[in-house]
Amino acid sequence: MYKIRHMKMIKQAILFLIKAYQDYISKFTPKSCRYYPSCSEFAVWQFKFNGFFSALFAVIFRILRCNQLFKGGIDYPVISKNFDSFFISNQNLKSHITFWFVPYKKNKFYVIKNLDFQKEK
């Protein structure tokens, strides 16, 4: 129980540091990420949807690939998720979807952010 709480606190601290980087530091530097989504956004999605160590390794490898030796392009994060108990009980539910989970392999999904949702009045 202590380890789980400790890891959640570390993940929250990392997410805070990434958000501070996005809000303050990256505004003063030229856009140089070779991938979409950017490396910092990729890191946020990894730490939100994956375990600490798998997110950490994925982010490190992504940052190492973000240079002139690699082509770049679209590189959505892949997460592990079990949707066996996932269902929608009310089809008229008025909520917006911010992320889509697109199947990749068994219990593995791409995370894609929905940029075109409209809030209902």
Side-chain angles (χ1 to χ4, degrees):
M1 181 75 172
Y2 175 74
K3 284 186 175 184
I4 293 172
R5 190 173 350 146
H6 187 65
M7 286 297 182
K8 285 183 181 180
M9 288 174 40
I10 292 173
K11 281 174 84 169
Q12 289 174 347
I14 289 172
L15 287 170
F16 175 79
L17 291 172
I18 294 169
K19 185 69 174 158
Y21 167 78
Q22 288 176 334
D23 290 343
Y24 300 108
I25 297 172
S26 70
K27 303 266 189 235
F28 300 108
T29 59
K31 304 268 187 225
S32 61
C33 190
R34 302 181 67 81
Y35 290 100
Y36 178 82
S38 68
C39 292
S40 60
E41 192 67 25
F42 180 88
V44 168
W45 296 356
Q46 283 288 344
F47 281 107
K48 278 186 178 180
F49 296 110
N50 279 334
F52 176 76
F53 290 110
S54 62
L56 182 65
F57 289 124
V59 170
I60 289 171
F61 291 131
R62 169 70 179 268
I63 291 171
L64 290 174
R65 287 192 325 260
C66 193
N67 60 53
Q68 294 81 12
L69 299 177
F70 292 90
K71 186 177 180 180
I74 296 175
D75 182 25
Y76 287 110
V78 175
I79 63 161
S80 298
K81 200 147 188 81
N82 187 356
F83 283 113
D84 289 341
S85 62
F86 180 78
F87 68 94
I88 297 176
S89 61
N90 185 358
Q91 295 297 327
N92 296 324
L93 188 64
K94 292 184 179 180
S95 65
H96 63 278
I97 297 172
T98 53
F99 293 101
W100 291 94
F101 297 100
V102 179
Y104 170 63
K105 290 182 181 176
K106 183 178 180 183
N107 291 334
K108 300 242 184 237
F109 297 85
Y110 287 112
V111 179
I112 300 177
K113 189 171 185 177
N114 185 6
L115 300 176
D116 190 34
F117 68 86
Q118 297 178 0
K119 295 183 181 178
E120 294 188 25
K121 295 179 182 180

